[in-house]
Amino acid sequence: MKKTSQLVLIVIFVFLGNVAAKAADSGNKSVFSATIGNLNLKIETYGQRIIRVVKSPVVKKLDKQSLSVILPQGGSGIMCRETPAEFVLTTQKLKIKVNKQTGVISFSDLDNRLLLIESANKPTFLPATDLNGGSYKIKQQFRLSDSEAVYGLGQDQRGIINFRNHTLLLKQRNMYVANPFLLSSKGYGLLWDNYSVTNFSDDHTGTSFEPEIGDCIDYYFVYGESADGTIAAYRELTGAAPMYGKWVFGFWQCRERYQSQDEIAGVVEKYRNLKVPLDNVVQDWRYWGMEENVWNSTEFGNPNFPDPQAMIDKIHNNHAHIMISVWPSFGTGTAIYKELDKENLLLNFRTWPDNEHVRVYDAFNPKARDIYWKHINKNLFSIGMDAWWLDATEPEQGDRPGKIDSTQTALGSFKRVGNAFPLETNRGVYENQRKTSSDKRVFILTRSAFTGQQRYGASTWSGDIDGNWQVFHNQIAAGINFSLSGIPYWTTDIGGFWVRPELYPQGVADTAYQELYVRWFQFGAFSPLFRSHGTNTPREIYQFGGKGYWAYDVQEKYINLRYRLLPYIYSQSWRVTSEGATMMRGLVMDFPTDTIALNRTNQYMFGPSILVTPVTEPLYTTRDGNLGKSDFSTTKPTAVYLPGSQSWFDFWTGERFNGGKMISKETPIDILPLYVKAGSIIPMGPTMQYATEKEADPIELRVYTGADADFVLYEDENDNYNYEKGAYSLIPIHWNEKTKTLTIGKRKGDFSGMLTDRVFNVVIVGNKKGTGSDNPGFSKAISYAGEKLVIKN
């Protein structure tokens, strides 16, 4: 008998007064749909951990294509049963209940633990003005549990860590990033899939998202059972973050701006002569010239840059990289403007610089993105440029709101899609560079971000912030919440972009500013990306004096420490790519039941092991007229909370402390409070002048006892995409606390140039032993050739 493929469709169709509902499971596609009152409801599965909910008025026909979500729908079936009051939908991980009368949806785990429920208040659909017609101003409200903490939502500048009882305007603008992904301490996330300006609010009435315009309510309930699992599921839904070149995790020097090619190349020369590590220098704007009509030509039209190829070659010959500023707006006299204008691919609103000579391109149009890359490739990438600083990707909006909102893009009005502009402009660079070459990994630093942007090799910095202690303190919460929004790489202008003369009239020569800068610098060394940048006063290390002066010595110490930690950092970056991990970790990720940890605004984990508490107040300088005055005669303390129930080790002394309590840490100017979680393994490489100067050999393998520990050392070819083809190695390392045994496992995988034989200097850190202590504890040099080794303490 001839066999044919069959599609099995199970349909339940029920009419109850004003309710009509059906559930369909067609193998790899699972959908429940219902009409309740005047609303159409659709519930879809995306794998085992993600549920999509779509609601719209019955009169509205929907054909929405998500800009952020790339995971195909399906992958997990829905089992549907009916009670007199509700439909109960069950997946492999979740139970979803739909009230037949009100349409209220709740989400529970399979043990019936309530995770989230919509508010009893009906969602609102009010008519909204839009040239595309038929749209609504929408509001959807949820009810959270009283003890629940929520995070994410992009980047805010108010120092808020937990957004309970707060409001937030989700709108792209300098220093503020709109990413409508909310992470709960209960182990779930909520992705609001709308691209217009949105008001988020949490108060006694509920938690709501209220976009200015949309065709429907569209959100994804993401349940990873933990913060790590939920962010990993978010990346599954919206795209994995690709690997960066190893050099990206070294130190970058930047300023606004280097005035000539000799100046920027000379910075690298000075760092090399001082033997201070450096991997990247950055050329800011105006390399194209000073006239507004040549704004952002992507060409070296400034006469101070007569031979950009020679400049790049000189920087490369000194084993450094160069990144360059490119904006999304162009002057009328540029070739790129003229080509975009000819194709009607420019947006019709004023931007910055605010004049008639500059306009933004339509990043929502694939043809415009291709033209954008065509000019970047021809003028910059072809001569060796390594990375992209895509500035002002909000983009800057200088016109009246009405005109901006009504401006038409390839995907509708700017009012409708504007928040997704950074996603699309970064997309164009990433996708086109990948098509052009696989020799260099794409790296983009951009001032704004949106849901899913991590898949385009894009990192974000916190914008043009002021240099003062309060702003510095607020960057910690900004970076934590940005990372908890699912995008893993973030940085800040060390020392603040603006150094106001009324606050620090002597700039870099002011000792009060020097204290702020070095404390910020310590924070930078333990951020995902380590970058000095700003205006008003220069920031290069040699501007602070020389060896023997505290402001210089502290910077040198933390640059060297950063490079020694590269094996730890680069291995974490692999976990970011392969597992959906997070490098800058809010304490909710590791201590979700510690109620004190949930609200700490100035502490985070750097990777899975290192607790960081930046010093965010002046301890050793005061103001004396127009000058700062320093006094280091008395060492002062900083309060540190040690979360959880496990033990912690002082990174500097090896002293051991119990968790779950506040301690006081003496913090001289060169000490950043760092504590390592018991049950950790931290690999530290040799000192080096740039990230790939030499092999990470020997590696000092620090084992922090008190619990079992695991670490996987990742290595590859450093800066190409061969890792996507399997060209990398993994060395698993395990500490057994009960047997006091360290196992260095058999190496898995290989790659061109792999170090086959190496030395691990094993240091078992005990109480008041190890690291900077005079009594290092058990220490042993182990030769390793790729086979399993077992070392007894």
Side-chain angles (χ1 to χ4, degrees), residues 691-767:
T692 58
E693 181 189 16
K694 50 192 172 185
E695 302 288 354
D697 186 52
I699 281 182
E700 181 181 317
L701 209 57
R702 296 185 179 181
V703 181
Y704 293 84
T705 60
D708 289 354
D710 289 281
F711 190 88
V712 178
L713 182 68
Y714 172 86
E715 294 176 310
D716 63 14
E717 295 171 10
N718 299 323
D719 194 12
N720 57 43
Y721 285 97
N722 289 341
Y723 75 89
E724 294 181 341
K725 305 171 186 176
Y728 59 86
S729 71
L730 301 170
I731 301 176
I733 306 165
H734 175 73
W735 168 256
N736 186 303
E737 178 68 17
K738 183 176 180 180
T739 63
K740 309 299 181 187
T741 300
L742 182 71
T743 301
I744 304 176
K746 180 180 176 64
R747 181 172 53 225
K748 302 174 185 177
D750 58 27
F751 57 91
S752 176
M754 183 181 73
L755 183 66
T756 56
D757 299 277
R758 72 191 322 151
V759 172
F760 288 105
N761 290 327
V762 178
V763 176
I764 308 298
V765 181
N767 188 31

Side-chain angles (χ1 to χ4, degrees), residues 170-172 178 195-198 414 417-423 449-450:
L170 297 175
K171 178 181 180 180
Q172 309 292 17
Y195 321 121
S196 71
V197 172
T198 297
F414 195 84
V417 297
N419 268 353
F421 186 94
L423 176 70
F450 194 69

